[in-house]
Amino acid sequence: MLSLVKIVPLVSLILMILIVMPSVVRAAAAESGPVASTYTVPEIKTFSLKQKDVVAIAVEECLPADAVANPLEYKLEPVFNADMMKNRLEVTLMNVTATGGELGTAGGKFIEAFNANYLKRVSIEKAAENRLKITADFPATAKPQITTVKRKRVSRPDNTTVYRTYLVLNFSPGSPAEPAKTIVLDAGHGGKDTGATNNYLYEKNLNLDIALLTRDILLARGYDVYMTRTDDRFINLLDRADAANILNAAVFISIHNNSMPEDMPDSARKLYRGTTVLYNSAAPQPAKDLATIMCDKLAGTLGTHQYPLQNRPGLVVLNSTWVPAVIAEVAMLPHAQDAKMISQRIYRREAAAAIAAATETYFRVCAAL
Ligand SMILES: [Zn+2]
């Protein structure tokens, strides 16, 4: 008779195999298709959160603009096989014609050690026949999952379109009672991109401080939080959206302080002040509810003038995120009164508390629906 001690790991191993199985089926189906597409692997992204470790391998193809009948619906599907062993996941990614980053150099290998809560180490190396071999070692307590996540296509001036999909390996606790929601906080601008300015005040620095303060509040309340930047650096807009999509975040919140057009007359500038929140009505999850709650809470807490919500489907971080996404414009930086207020940390702390409270209210509203 098997002891309970032996049964439990056996059961968890079977569960893990079942979770990985659909990817094997999908890979086999793709291989039997008429033409298996080829692609490059330009970069690999890793994320280490409180309750998950994630490896995302970008696969990309550049096609003539008219090569795809329905570009909106098209998704590049990576072809791969997955083998689950005890505490090790091996994935073979096929049809890789070129590699970038650390894999771009001769004999290059991508190796990263994690904090070992859910993933100990991942190594990625080139193998024969245009293959990449991905080996991930994880502890017995972790549960691996494989998904694919599409990035919004990019049209280039040379009349080509770049399609990218991430092969995402997600390692999280095997049996959480209720997994913590992941929140992606995006401090707007950074590095060479200062955002709005008012004398010595730089929007990028104010955004980062509010985002860091918001992170601390949300972490203390048990949420898992990922920051698109934690210091003063330039981050591409699509990379910001990628983080929310790859991590399957419950919400993506981009934190900004508003600017106004350079040519606006001084008389108009004096009137142009306050808080607004931007959303995208055309997004898969438009997040107008979140925007409404966030704008009310921010303006109510800070005592700023409240502008109507802005529907901005043209903004990259709003039209490239597949999860509910908003941009909170906390205050109007060029306006003297707003600038004086947000330059003081006590108000940035209040803004952070308002953003965190609005996010929690939104979760309660969603749960009640
Ligand atoms: Zn901004």
Side-chain angles (χ1 to χ4, degrees):
M1 192 178 122
L2 285 167
S3 73
L4 193 62
V5 181
K6 282 180 184 162
I7 290 170
V8 171
L10 189 66
V11 168
S12 61
L13 189 64
I14 291 167
L15 280 175
M16 284 189 288
I17 290 166
L18 285 175
I19 287 158
V20 171
M21 197 64 83
S23 64
V24 178
V25 173
R26 184 175 54 233
E31 275 184 302
S32 64
V35 181
S37 65
T38 58
Y39 31 75
T40 62
V41 172
E43 65 173 324
I44 293 153
K45 298 183 178 202
T46 58
F47 305 83
S48 202
L49 279 72
K50 211 168 57 170
Q51 292 207 12
K52 63 172 107 171
D53 289 321
V54 178
V55 180
I57 299 132
V59 303
E60 199 170 270
E61 64 184 348
C62 182
L63 301 173
D66 58 0
V68 172
N70 188 348
L72 195 65
E73 297 294 320
Y74 177 74
K75 181 182 177 189
L76 170 59
E77 291 288 357
V79 181
F80 62 95
N81 280 318
D83 289 316
M84 177 64 64
M85 285 151 281
K86 192 170 185 289
N87 300 344
R88 170 170 282 193
L89 173 64
E90 279 186 6
V91 178
T92 306
L93 177 62
M94 281 158 283
N95 305 342
V96 179
T97 54
T99 47
E102 287 163 66
L103 292 169
T105 54
K109 251 188 179 189
F110 178 93
I111 297 176
E112 189 157 319
F114 284 73
N115 63 18
N117 284 342
Y118 311 108
L119 180 58
K120 291 177 181 168
R121 178 181 184 274
V122 67
S123 77
I124 304 176
E125 59 190 310
K126 283 184 270 191
E129 297 167 341
N130 290 347
R131 292 171 181 218
L132 273 194
K133 190 181 170 198
I134 303 142
T135 307
D137 293 312
F138 57 90
T141 48
K143 182 185 79 172
Q145 277 180 303
I146 304 178
T147 56
T148 56
V149 172
K150 178 176 151 176
R151 174 189 255 198
K152 193 186 173 218
R153 71 191 186 284
V154 177
S155 298
R156 286 182 170 170
D158 63 356
N159 216 23
T160 58
T161 307
V162 178
Y163 296 92
R164 179 185 283 206
T165 296
Y166 289 97
L167 178 63
V168 179
L169 314 184
N170 183 93
F171 301 83
S172 51
S175 55
E178 190 178 342
K181 284 186 168 66
T182 300
I183 296 165
V184 172
L185 294 177
D186 175 46
H189 310 281
K192 65 185 179 186
D193 174 14
T194 59
T197 56
N198 187 338
N199 294 323
Y200 59 92
L201 284 179
Y202 281 32
E203 184 198 343
K204 62 175 184 175
N205 298 335
L206 301 172
N207 297 343
L208 179 59
D209 194 46
I210 296 168
L212 287 167
L213 290 165
T214 309
R215 175 194 66 179
D216 293 347
I217 296 167
L218 290 169
L219 281 175
R221 292 186 188 164
Y223 297 99
D224 223 351
V225 180
Y226 179 78
M227 304 268 299
T228 55
R229 67 179 178 100
T230 54
D231 54 17
D232 183 19
R233 70 177 65 199
F234 179 79
I235 308 277
N236 189 296
L237 293 175
L238 275 177
D239 288 322
R240 296 172 191 255
D242 282 347
N245 296 332
I246 290 167
L247 295 170
N248 192 24
V251 287
F252 172 89
I253 301 165
S254 188
I255 296 170
H256 284 251
N257 281 276
N258 223 336
S259 57
M260 54 181 90
E262 290 290 321
D263 55 357
M264 185 177 271
D266 280 353
S267 55
R269 276 175 185 261
K270 286 190 180 121
L271 302 171
Y272 207 47
R273 62 190 173 86
T275 302
T276 188
V277 177
L278 286 51
Y279 71 103
N280 172 12
S281 64
Q285 302 190 64
K288 193 175 180 184
D289 289 353
L290 175 60
T292 305
I293 295 166
M294 183 98 38
C295 198
D296 285 351
K297 191 71 187 168
L298 269 170
T301 303
L302 297 172
T304 45
H305 176 76
Q306 186 170 352
Y307 273 96
L309 302 182
Q310 291 186 42
N311 181 17
R312 298 290 295 277
L315 296 179
V316 173
V317 294
L318 297 182
N319 66 29
S320 308
T321 35
W322 318 133
V323 304
V326 292
I327 297 175
E329 299 280 4
V330 177
M332 184 65 67
L333 204 55
H335 188 270
Q337 198 177 319
D338 276 17
K340 191 176 173 190
M341 182 267 296
I342 208 66
S343 70
Q344 298 172 66
R345 198 152 202 247
I346 188 164
Y347 289 107
R348 296 202 292 276
R349 209 178 282 282
E350 285 198 9
I355 291 167
T359 306
E360 288 202 290
T361 303
Y362 169 72
F363 289 153
R364 279 196 295 275
V365 169
C366 288
L369 288 176

